[in-house]
Amino acid sequence: MGTDEVLGGTIDLRFAMAGLAPGQVNVAYGLYPPWRGRGLATRAVLLASGYAAAEGGKEAVIRVEPENAASAAVARRSGFIPGKLTQDEDGTRLDWYVRDLRLDARSDIRASPSRAASADLA
């Protein structure tokens, strides 16, 4: 990383996590305020979803607090559809958005591991 580069955000994939069914992959992301509104989160979610499909994931899940409209919009723009509503262990309500990764695994859209690495939002 050069001296003039700044971290813009993060993206995280969890292939095993409490509450996920076998084959589901949790996708979590966040952007720092100066980087929002540029389509970076949507692009990172698409790249990470392609990577998850290539690694054998069957369904991607984005869990969003109901009042986080911006994060829900990223999920919808990335092709996720509303799923179930749950409560986290601490009582936090979460709207689930899901995407069938088997479609990515059969398409030319999927990202290779080297392309997915470019999604580090720096």
Side-chain angles (χ1 to χ4, degrees):
M1 188 184 264
T3 58
D4 62 340
E5 295 178 352
V6 177
L7 182 66
T10 63
I11 188 150
D12 178 72
L13 295 176
R14 301 285 171 146
F15 288 83
M17 186 175 162
L20 293 181
Q24 285 184 320
V25 179
N26 188 75
V27 181
Y29 47 87
L31 283 178
Y32 299 115
W35 297 95
R36 295 178 184 160
R38 301 180 189 191
L40 294 172
T42 301
R43 178 71 176 140
V45 167
L46 290 171
L47 287 168
S49 295
Y51 177 80
E55 292 296 312
K58 305 292 183 230
E59 183 176 66
V61 175
I62 294 175
R63 301 172 313 137
V64 178
E65 292 182 18
E67 50 282 339
N68 190 341
S71 193
V74 168
R76 287 189 303 275
R77 282 193 303 270
S78 301
F80 287 69
I81 59 171
K84 64 184 177 179
L85 307 174
T86 63
Q87 275 195 330
D88 226 353
E89 291 176 4
D90 66 0
T92 302
R93 291 187 51 217
L94 297 170
D95 293 335
W96 284 40
Y97 292 84
V98 296
R99 179 179 171 154
D100 187 344
L101 293 176
R102 293 169 293 191
L103 299 174
D104 289 341
R106 293 189 302 259
S107 76
D108 292 332
I109 297 173
R110 74 173 176 254
S112 69
S114 62
R115 285 185 59 212
S118 68
D120 61 3
L121 307 180

